[in-house]
Each structure stands twice: as C-alpha cells, then as structure tokens.
Amino acid sequence: MPAITFIHPDGKSDRVETGDGESAMQAATRHGLDGILAECGGNAMCATCHVYVDESWLTRLPDMADDEDALLDGTASERLPNSRLSCQIHVTPALDGLVVKLPERQV
Ligand code: FES
C-alpha cells in the first residue's frame, strides 16, 4: 500500500500506510494523527484537512477543483502555493512516498 509522510509543525514526522482508495485525510485520521481535523468528513466543506504538499510532489498531484480552490482561501493557517486539502488527495500507487507538511493550526 502507498505510504504518506506527514511532517508536524515541530519537525517530527509520521509515516502512514494508506488503505485501498483512501484519501490522505482518511489515512491520517485512521491513524489518529494530530493536525488533521476533517470536520466535514471529506466533503470539501471545511478546510480543516489543510496540508502543504512537499514541492517535489506538487506536479504529480491532480489539479484542484474549483471548490477546493475556494475553500483554501479560508484556511486557519496561511494559504501557500503548495496548499491542498488532504481529503481531495486520493492516494494511488503513483503517490507512494508522498510528503506533506501539517499547518500550525486548522481552526
Ligand atoms: S475534510 Fe473537510 S474539506 Fe477536507
């Protein structure tokens, strides 16, 4: 199964295995990671699953939809060019090894 590394604001990291068809958000919450709240359950309505994608992976992610783009304008931590919603990152084998950083806060 593809694995994702989540880097916490303090520099510590957690590498989590993803399940079949899971989003990065689902993998994080299933492993109880602090830093991903996912209040809307992955319906692209809350922006509390905000992550910063490691620059080396940015071009390998699918383009964001308009609703994700709009929600990212309302994140609790600053939106950066590499901001994405982790519930909209559906992990495929091609994303094995993906690295994302968690923002300081989600609300
Ligand atoms: S979990 Fe709510 S927008 Fe991602």
Side-chain angles (χ1 to χ4, degrees):
M1 290 294 177
I4 305 174
T5 298
F6 291 86
I7 301 174
H8 298 270
D10 66 2
K12 293 183 182 157
S13 63
D14 283 302
R15 184 177 181 276
V16 302
E17 300 279 333
T18 63
D20 237 2
E22 271 188 335
S23 67
M25 175 280 282
Q26 288 170 318
T29 55
R30 188 166 53 80
H31 286 85
L33 253 67
D34 287 339
I36 297 285
L37 299 184
E39 288 176 343
C40 78
N43 291 308
M45 294 175 68
C46 73
T48 61
C49 63
H50 178 204
V51 294
Y52 301 117
V53 175
D54 185 276
E55 279 78 3
S56 66
W57 285 92
L58 272 180
T59 58
R60 287 183 262 183
L61 294 184
D63 291 341
M64 70 174 73
D66 289 346
D67 56 349
E68 179 181 0
D69 192 17
L71 267 176
L72 283 167
D73 285 337
T75 53
S77 290
E78 181 185 10
R79 178 180 184 171
L80 299 177
N82 59 338
S83 288
R84 294 295 301 258
L85 297 179
S86 59
C87 71
Q88 302 303 303
I89 301 173
H90 297 281
V91 185
T92 63
L95 293 182
D96 184 30
L98 175 67
V99 177
V100 301
K101 294 177 187 161
L102 294 163
E104 287 286 342
R105 58 195 190 93
Q106 296 285 11
V107 290

